[in-house]
Amino acid sequence: MRIDVVTIFPEVFPGPLDAGVIGRGRMRGLLDVVVWDLRGFTDDRHRTVDEPPYGGGAGMVMKAEPFLRAVEAVRRAAGTPGPVLLSSPQGRRFTQPWARRLAVMPQLTVLCGRYEGVDERVAAILDADEVSIGDYVLSGGELPAMVIVEAVGRLVPGVVGEEASVREDSFSDGLLDHPHYTRPAELGGHAVPEVLLSGHHEEIRRWRRREALRRTLARRPDLLYEAALDDEARTWLRELRAERDRGSACPGDRG
Ligand code: 4FV
């Protein structure tokens, strides 16, 4: 997969995208991340990318034309161009299912905003999707772009060595992940749950699924509406709800 990023700060991308699975995926040619400098698509000697807002008000707005020229160049270079994303707090919330849908595309372009935002016509003319990584305000779209490259890149087949670990990711079945433990078996009076030391794989699977449900019910009940639950999970969820309602709160879960 090829991911093109357009930004006025190309220098912030090396580092985060060179390390770990993304870095290895790029080295192995499974993932191609190309970072473009937006100023390269300006047409004045001051390489202007922003102007005061029509209608007045504080701050500056990013001009449309440099983004339009940049995406033209990306499309020429990318061969089979895919969707265009514009990172902004006004966007739809980025999720694992959205990352999965993007990871099967041949190419993706991510535009990084700065200042007060980007001229509204960029998204309209490019039919770009606005994407938000969360309800807080950053000073730029570069970190959101890295989040998207990381979340999508690691789903490209072969990028994460153990496919299983991608399959068993948080949100892979719409639930939060189960608790994880490793050596030592006992730490400061906190013992690892017996079942995990039992070697009884079915019992371990059941414990992990139930704990994932318990945690999701306590911390992110909103996820339960979308989650694909089978009969086993629905039964346990009823029991967990009854347990919760009986007031035997989940030990340790502040909910
Ligand atoms: C953001 C977010 C975000 C807002 C103004 C860039 C900044 C500046 N992007 N999810 N939250 N963007 O805060 O995606 O243009």
Side-chain angles (χ1 to χ4, degrees):
M1 180 179 188
R2 173 181 169 137
I3 304 179
D4 293 81
V5 178
V6 180
T7 169
I8 62 171
F9 292 122
E11 66 274 19
V12 304
F13 284 84
L17 298 184
D18 298 341
V21 291
I22 298 298
R24 254 200 323 279
R26 297 176 73 189
M27 297 243 282
R28 292 165 52 210
L30 296 167
L31 190 59
D32 185 11
V33 180
V34 182
V35 180
W36 303 72
D37 184 346
L38 183 66
R39 292 193 189 281
F41 300 95
T42 56
D43 58 4
D44 66 314
R45 61 193 177 80
H46 300 300
R47 294 159 53 94
T48 306
V49 295
D50 60 316
E51 300 260 16
Y54 276 126
M60 300 292 271
V61 173
M62 296 191 86
K63 293 166 64 64
E65 302 99 318
F67 278 112
L68 301 180
R69 295 191 201 100
V71 171
E72 245 172 71
V74 167
R75 286 181 167 156
R76 269 197 306 279
T80 50
V84 178
L85 298 183
L86 171 61
S87 56
S88 104
Q90 282 70 48
R92 249 175 333 118
R93 177 64 67 81
F94 188 55
T95 62
Q96 191 68 9
W98 195 351
R100 272 201 294 272
R101 286 195 297 277
L102 293 169
V104 295
M105 301 279 177
Q107 187 271 348
L108 168 68
T109 303
V110 184
L111 309 179
C112 305
R114 277 270 155 179
Y115 313 104
E116 295 314 304
V118 175
D119 186 298
E120 197 65 19
R121 292 165 289 185
V122 169
I125 293 168
L126 295 173
D127 185 27
D129 278 322
E130 290 196 58
V131 50
S132 170
I133 64 166
D135 298 342
Y136 37 79
V137 179
L138 307 168
S139 51
E142 283 73 19
L143 293 175
M146 289 182 205
V147 165
I148 292 164
V149 170
E150 163 86 24
V152 172
R154 64 188 298 283
L155 297 176
V156 172
V159 168
V160 171
E162 263 199 275
E163 292 308 319
S165 77
V166 169
R167 256 200 322 280
E168 286 153 21
D169 262 345
S170 302
F171 307 107
S172 55
D173 55 1
L175 299 178
L176 297 185
D177 207 357
H178 54 74
H180 294 276
Y181 296 87
T182 188
R183 282 189 282 278
E186 200 277 335
L187 183 66
H190 297 265
V192 170
E194 274 306 311
V195 62
L196 298 180
L197 311 174
S198 70
H200 198 300
H201 297 302
E202 175 53 13
E203 280 310 312
I204 291 167
R205 182 196 67 76
R206 293 165 58 85
W207 180 87
R208 284 175 168 168
R209 191 108 168 73
R210 198 179 162 85
E211 289 308 308
L213 282 163
R214 181 197 306 279
R215 194 168 254 206
T216 307
L217 177 63
R219 302 179 188 183
R220 292 291 309 278
D222 57 297
L223 294 173
L224 293 168
Y225 301 108
E226 307 289 320
L229 303 179
D230 55 15
D231 293 351
E232 175 189 71
R234 272 196 293 278
T235 307
W236 283 338
L237 198 50
R238 267 195 302 281
E239 292 167 4
L240 288 164
R241 284 205 168 100
E243 203 181 288
R244 180 200 55 194
D245 301 346
R246 268 200 312 278
S248 58
C250 321
D253 259 325
R254 288 176 297 293

